[in-house]
Amino acid sequence: MNWPKLLNKSVVTCMLIGFTSIGLQAQQTFEDYKKLYPDFNEVVLLDYQGYDISIENKKLKIIQNTSFESMILSENGIHNNEESFTYSELVKLLEYDAFSVINSNGKDKKIKVTQSAEKNSSSSSVFFDDIKERQLIFPHLEKGAKKVYNYKREFVDPFLLHKYMFIGGYPIKDATFEVKTDKNVNIGFKIFNDPNNTIQFKKTEVKGKIVYTWTLKDVKAFKFESNSPGVLHSAPHIDIYIKDYTINDKKTVVLDDVTLLHKYYQGFVNNLNKKECIDLKKITEDITKDKTTEEEKIKSIFYWVKDNIKYVAFENGYEGFIPREADLVFERKFGDCKDMANIIVSMAEYAKIKDVNLCWIGTREIPYSYTELATPAVDNHMIAAYKKGDEYIFLDATDRETRYGLPTSFIQGKEALINNGKEFKIVKVPIIDAKKNQVDDIVKVQIKDGKLIGKGKMEFIGFNRSMTLMQIGDASGKTRFEMIKSLVIKGNNKFNLNSFTEENIRNRDLPYNVNYDFELDNYIIKVDKELYLNPYLHKIFEKNPIQKDRVTGYDFEIISFFNSEYEFEIPANYKVKYIPKNFTLDNELLKVNAVFTESNNKILVKYTFEVKKLIIEPSDFQLWDDSIKKMKSNYSETLILTEK
């Protein structure tokens, strides 16, 4: 289930005012904007979105108007001649208009967009959806030309209003969000990521309607950065929802708390699986017949779904919300997240396992809790949960590799809304401890003919196991060899992987192991009678992943513990002249230890490295940078051997 596309998708560069945007920015010329934004190819002059919520013919009617106007500032900007917007069965397109505006003999001339195409949504994660994308190609663009478009949509479901983002990839002169309501319609709203209250708000009454307006002027271009927690964590935006409306003195309550949200969700699932599926029941009985405990049974069901039901995403009207019947999922052998969750719950019922329920949850790119925002915008995923005593085991079959007992990495720390008929419970998914995501690298090394000759074993557990195997996938031959080489590489680019074997590829409950042997040339430096050797064969975070000009947090996705143990055999005709000092670093972000010992003609290096936080916030950057500098200084230490 890919709900953000249905609930929250707003084309970042598209929003306007009614249908009257032309001329609003006439007070400034092309030369003015070019001076104001010398580093940009385009500036958005107007980015507007407005809702008109009214009662018509004794029914609630929700119309959304969107308007957009931008100016081309450079030759490169001319190539950005395409804009788009979306619509679906739940958000119906009523009309649209689009045109270029060019200067012709000192006057503005409109040139209508005639190249327009409707396409299915291009999301690679979606197998089928009914979301359409209208693509607009703007003609005759030149420096100083404008792109203008407007469109009107109708929202079928009052629970599914979109958020508005006060951002774009280009600077925005005027970003405005407006809601007009009849007096018998009450709305709620929540503003996020505006700590200095820069978004201007006013509430007025115009012609018997209540008008709410939020405006942000001179918005800087938003910097989209890799490994960010998600745009909603930092971009200023507003979520609105309808609390209630009254028709003929009868009040209809829509949203305002978690109880109402759950009631809405419950309507999608309370009639599921009323008919017994004989074949699915038999499969369930077969795979659980030798299991003696409930936990063994639910684990076997969980793994069976992972292995036999292929994950594909669907979006088709309310099918984006309603799980398909378990017998249909079983017959098709594919389904989306809610389908996989539902078949797990259905099989648990056949196995007479109690306390296995559907639950709704948002992935970590969504920052809200249910107390902050009790609307469908808080969720974009669906899983099952098994109550084992006082704890919950979260069952997300969309990730094939994750073992039973672990949630998927992308829901760590999130609240799950667990369904139990008319009742519900909110439970926080744990953040998995670093040592449960451990990577061990145990290496024995000899020095021969100026090379390092070594044998090693890498062991991956927890999320590091599943993420590594997901990355490798079904690769074979030379491709798999190169992938394994990138996992175990040591020293420098003269590393040569001779051979490798793998263990426990299919057994999720055991660590994934790689046994390997290698040669490493041009790593030892010989000066006269001395050999110089850097004992850190793998320098974790030698290159700082967080760049100096970064403005958003850095998301590691998981917290990890790396344990490296290197055993260097001292050549028979050499002795140790210098061993690096032990090193320790411990703060709220990292814990690093390096211990060097000499024993039985061997030098042992034990190096551990723990990342403590899922997300390094901008307030952490200085401490992070200082820590990396200390580590890099330690990485420069050298082991010295001298001839006897």
Side-chain angles (χ1 to χ4, degrees):
M1 180 172 58
N2 194 3
W3 286 5
K5 239 168 98 178
L6 280 170
L7 304 181
N8 306 320
K9 185 164 183 176
S10 58
V11 180
V12 170
T13 58
C14 64
M15 326 249 133
L16 318 172
I17 256 183
F19 280 25
T20 59
S21 60
I22 286 300
L24 291 180
Q25 308 295 334
Q27 68 272 23
Q28 287 185 299
T29 65
F30 166 73
E31 287 74 18
D32 294 330
Y33 289 122
K34 187 65 180 172
K35 289 178 182 178
L36 283 170
Y37 307 106
D39 299 324
F40 291 93
N41 297 320
E42 190 172 342
V43 58
V44 177
L45 305 180
L46 182 65
D47 185 37
Y48 170 91
Q49 188 177 98
Y51 282 97
D52 193 335
I53 306 172
S54 60
I55 307 296
E56 292 188 14
N57 299 320
K58 298 181 181 181
K59 292 182 180 180
L60 188 69
K61 188 171 185 178
I62 305 169
I63 300 296
Q64 182 196 69
N65 289 315
T66 299
S67 297
F68 173 88
E69 179 180 343
S70 72
M71 179 181 285
I72 304 300
L73 300 180
S74 71
E75 292 289 341
N76 288 334
I78 294 171
H79 302 295
N80 185 30
N81 65 343
E82 183 178 318
E83 298 289 346
S84 64
F85 57 87
T86 60
Y87 43 94
S88 67
E89 284 300 310
L90 295 177
V91 185
K92 296 179 180 294
L93 178 65
L94 301 180
E95 58 184 87
Y96 74 94
D97 185 27
F99 48 88
S100 301
V101 179
I102 64 171
N103 187 279
S104 178
N105 298 319
K107 294 182 179 180
D108 283 345
K109 179 182 178 182
K110 293 183 183 180
I111 304 175
K112 191 174 181 62
V113 168
T114 56
Q115 284 186 274
S116 173
E118 180 184 78
K119 295 186 177 181
N120 289 327
S121 167
S122 59
S123 173
S124 61
S125 65
V126 177
F127 178 75
F128 173 80
D129 65 38
D130 74 328
I131 294 180
K132 304 298 182 183
E133 182 178 359
R134 173 64 59 177
Q135 295 181 323
L136 308 170
I137 307 298
F138 289 82
H140 301 286
L141 292 183
E142 58 188 24
K143 288 191 294 183
K146 296 176 183 177
K147 296 185 297 188
V148 180
Y149 65 92
N150 313 268
Y151 61 88
K152 182 185 288 187
R153 303 186 293 188
E154 182 175 4
F155 281 66
V156 174
D157 192 325
F159 287 82
L160 303 179
L161 304 188
H162 290 185
K163 60 173 51 67
Y164 177 73
M165 310 283 287
F166 292 87
I167 63 162
Y170 297 109
I172 304 172
K173 288 297 294 179
D174 184 342
T176 298
F177 180 60
E178 186 173 71
V179 181
K180 299 176 183 178
T181 71
D182 286 352
K183 289 184 177 180
N184 50 357
V185 177
N186 291 317
I187 68 166
F189 63 88
K190 178 82 175 185
I191 295 174
F192 294 91
N193 305 320
D194 184 31
N196 299 320
N197 297 317
T198 54
I199 298 172
Q200 298 175 11
F201 170 68
K202 66 178 180 179
K203 180 180 178 182
T204 58
E205 184 175 337
V206 179
K207 295 181 180 180
K209 289 212 169 198
I210 306 300
V211 181
Y212 307 81
T213 307
W214 296 267
T215 303
L216 191 58
K217 303 284 188 180
D218 298 317
V219 184
K220 292 182 179 180
F222 189 80
K223 188 175 183 181
F224 296 90
E225 298 175 311
S226 62
N227 294 94
S228 73
V231 65
L232 296 178
H233 286 259
S234 56
H237 65 278
I238 182 170
D239 277 276
I240 69 159
Y241 55 94
I242 298 173
K243 289 185 175 183
D244 60 71
Y245 58 92
T246 301
I247 302 176
N248 292 340
D249 298 324
K250 181 182 178 181
K251 180 186 283 189
T252 299
V253 179
V254 182
L255 287 169
D256 203 19
D257 58 29
V258 185
T259 300
L260 291 170
L261 177 63
H262 175 257
K263 183 180 178 181
Y264 175 68
Y265 286 163
Q266 181 64 20
F268 295 125
V269 301
N270 56 12
N271 290 316
L272 286 173
N273 308 324
K274 299 296 185 183
K275 178 182 173 184
E276 184 179 271
C277 177
I278 296 173
D279 291 338
L280 181 58
K281 184 177 181 180
K282 185 178 185 307
I283 284 286
T284 303
E285 290 170 346
D286 287 345
I287 65 176
T288 60
K289 64 183 178 182
D290 297 328
K291 313 302 179 186
T292 57
T293 67
E294 276 195 352
E295 186 165 28
E296 288 176 335
K297 291 178 180 180
I298 193 61
K299 180 179 175 181
S300 64
I301 290 170
F302 183 50
Y303 283 170
W304 184 90
V305 173
K306 280 176 175 278
D307 291 334
N308 293 276
I309 306 298
K310 182 179 180 181
Y311 172 69
V312 292
F314 290 82
E315 287 179 10
N316 186 20
Y318 279 112
E319 287 188 9
F321 301 86
I322 305 171
R324 290 159 188 83
E325 293 289 335
D327 59 347
L328 180 61
V329 179
F330 173 68
E331 178 185 343
R332 289 177 168 179
K333 296 297 187 290
F334 63 78
D336 63 13
C337 64
K338 62 187 184 302
D339 300 333
M340 299 177 94
N342 183 43
I343 196 172
I344 290 172
V345 171
S346 181
M347 293 175 75
E349 290 176 355
Y350 289 140
K352 298 180 172 57
I353 305 170
K354 297 178 181 179
D355 293 323
V356 179
N357 294 299
L358 294 170
C359 51
W360 297 269
I361 194 167
T363 56
R364 290 199 302 113
E365 66 187 16
I366 296 176
Y368 323 122
S369 68
Y370 289 106
T371 54
E372 286 179 310
L373 188 69
T375 79
V378 77
D379 298 314
N380 65 343
H381 192 42
M382 206 167 182
I383 60 174
Y386 165 56
K387 191 172 188 293
K388 176 188 173 186
D390 294 330
E391 68 170 323
Y392 284 87
I393 307 296
F394 297 97
L395 307 171
D396 185 354
T398 60
D399 179 349
R400 288 185 58 189
E401 298 296 342
T402 305
R403 69 168 174 81
Y404 172 86
L406 292 183
T408 39
S409 63
F410 49 81
I411 61 172
Q412 292 180 95
K414 295 292 295 181
E415 291 177 343
L417 181 62
I418 300 177
N419 182 60
N420 189 10
K422 293 184 179 180
E423 304 296 324
F424 66 87
K425 188 176 182 65
I426 296 174
V427 178
K428 196 166 187 177
V429 178
I431 294 174
I432 302 304
D433 182 78
K435 290 191 176 180
K436 291 183 178 179
N437 300 318
Q438 186 162 327
V439 177
D440 287 315
D441 190 16
I442 314 301
V443 183
K444 294 185 177 182
V445 180
Q446 294 178 319
I447 300 174
K448 290 184 178 179
D449 301 323
K451 297 181 181 179
L452 294 186
I453 309 296
K455 290 183 177 292
K457 178 177 183 177
M458 288 196 79
E459 183 172 278
F460 302 84
I461 67 171
F463 289 140
N464 274 309
R465 177 198 183 279
S466 58
M467 292 171 77
T468 299
L469 284 173
M470 285 288 285
Q471 186 176 13
I472 295 173
D474 296 326
S476 59
K478 185 177 180 180
T479 300
R480 194 174 190 92
F481 184 91
E482 291 301 321
M483 286 183 164
I484 298 298
K485 181 179 178 180
S486 70
L487 282 180
V488 303
I489 191 167
K490 302 288 184 292
N492 56 35
N493 58 7
K494 296 296 183 180
F495 176 87
N496 182 45
L497 177 63
N498 293 325
S499 64
F500 71 90
T501 59
E502 299 171 86
E503 299 172 353
N504 309 324
I505 297 175
R506 303 300 175 198
N507 192 331
R508 299 179 181 91
D509 296 322
L510 294 177
Y512 167 61
N513 296 334
V514 178
N515 303 289
Y516 61 99
D517 63 272
F518 66 93
E519 295 179 1
L520 180 58
D521 203 357
N522 288 355
Y523 192 74
I524 301 171
I525 297 175
K526 189 175 189 305
V527 179
D528 296 330
K529 295 183 178 182
E530 294 180 342
L531 297 179
Y532 295 83
L533 168 66
N534 187 299
Y536 294 99
L537 296 181
H538 176 49
K539 301 177 178 67
I540 301 172
F541 289 144
E542 181 181 24
K543 294 182 179 179
N544 192 340
I546 301 175
Q547 302 305 308
K548 287 184 178 181
D549 60 347
R550 190 177 183 93
V551 296
T552 59
Y554 190 95
D555 189 345
F556 285 104
E557 192 171 351
I558 66 174
I559 54 175
S560 298
F561 185 88
F562 301 93
N563 173 54
S564 301
E565 298 180 20
Y566 305 138
E567 179 185 284
F568 296 95
E569 184 176 311
I570 302 171
N573 57 331
Y574 280 84
K575 63 181 179 179
V576 175
K577 181 177 181 180
Y578 175 77
I579 294 180
K581 296 178 181 178
N582 295 342
F583 174 78
T584 299
L585 172 68
D586 192 0
N587 54 46
E588 57 263 39
L589 305 179
L590 296 170
K591 185 175 183 180
V592 183
N593 279 292
V595 177
F596 301 85
T597 56
E598 181 183 359
S599 177
N600 298 324
N601 209 41
K602 294 180 176 64
I603 297 168
L604 307 177
V605 181
K606 183 174 177 62
Y607 177 51
T608 59
F609 188 109
E610 179 181 348
V611 179
K612 294 184 179 181
K613 290 185 71 174
L614 272 177
I615 299 174
I616 306 299
E617 302 290 356
S619 58
D620 298 321
F621 285 176
Q622 189 59 57
L623 177 59
W624 177 268
D625 289 343
D626 292 343
S627 301
I628 297 296
K629 286 177 184 177
K630 290 178 182 178
M631 287 166 41
K632 290 178 71 173
S633 176
N634 186 65
Y635 285 154
S636 65
E637 288 281 356
T638 303
L639 172 67
I640 304 175
L641 305 179
T642 187
E643 291 181 3
K644 294 180 179 177

